[in-house]
Amino acid sequence: MTARIERPLSPHLQVYRWTLTMALSIVHRATGVALYFGTLLLVWWLIAAASGPAAYAHVQAFTGSIIGRLIAFSYTWALIHHAMSGIRHLVWDLGYGFKPSEREWLTWAALIGGIGITILLWIIAYAIGGGR
């Protein structure tokens, strides 16, 4: 008879202390999913533009509303944040940024960069007349 080997249980979220890196990893996945739905709205806009003035006016009425602008802003943030987190993962794939201080810096850079670039993009869009 062989003796039963006691193996350690695999740790789970109740064992680990939450960190910003963990949270942004989950947000990265969520923004990836959100981009699928946002891209459907982008396709709707493109099809409406190709379909003629009446169809395009319907889409413009929706995107010009508060809800439409909120969705467009959220889509922009999801796209930028996903790209910034993708760069963070690329750095890790290249074998860099694994020290705790480097991980924290990359995570904060992705978070602040995503928010900052999104806001800057929208300010520029409104400044050149895209927000009328």
Side-chain angles (χ1 to χ4, degrees):
M1 271 245 143
T2 58
R4 184 172 177 196
I5 300 172
E6 292 294 325
R7 297 184 181 179
L9 295 175
S10 183
H12 47 81
L13 291 178
Q14 294 172 340
V15 174
Y16 288 120
R17 179 181 57 86
W18 276 90
T19 64
L20 183 62
T21 305
M22 289 170 64
L24 279 193
S25 181
I26 293 168
V27 170
H28 179 73
R29 289 171 177 85
T31 56
V33 171
L35 289 174
Y36 280 104
F37 296 108
T39 301
L40 291 175
L41 293 174
L42 183 62
V43 168
W44 179 38
W45 179 73
L46 289 171
I47 290 171
S51 297
Y56 189 72
H58 282 79
V59 175
Q60 286 300 96
F62 174 74
T63 57
S65 70
I66 296 294
I67 298 293
R69 288 180 192 224
L70 182 62
I71 290 172
F73 183 84
S74 299
Y75 179 74
T76 307
W77 174 78
L79 184 64
I80 301 296
H81 175 78
H82 198 77
M84 298 297 286
S85 285
I87 292 169
R88 177 175 59 119
H89 282 275
L90 177 63
V91 169
W92 288 341
D93 289 345
L94 294 173
Y96 301 105
F98 290 116
K99 294 177 185 171
S101 62
E102 294 170 342
R103 260 192 337 261
E104 286 294 310
W105 185 88
L106 282 171
T107 304
W108 279 107
L111 179 63
I112 294 169
I115 294 168
I117 292 171
T118 300
I119 292 171
L120 183 63
L121 230 161
W122 274 71
I123 289 171
I124 291 170
Y126 270 88
I128 62 173
R132 288 186 227 160

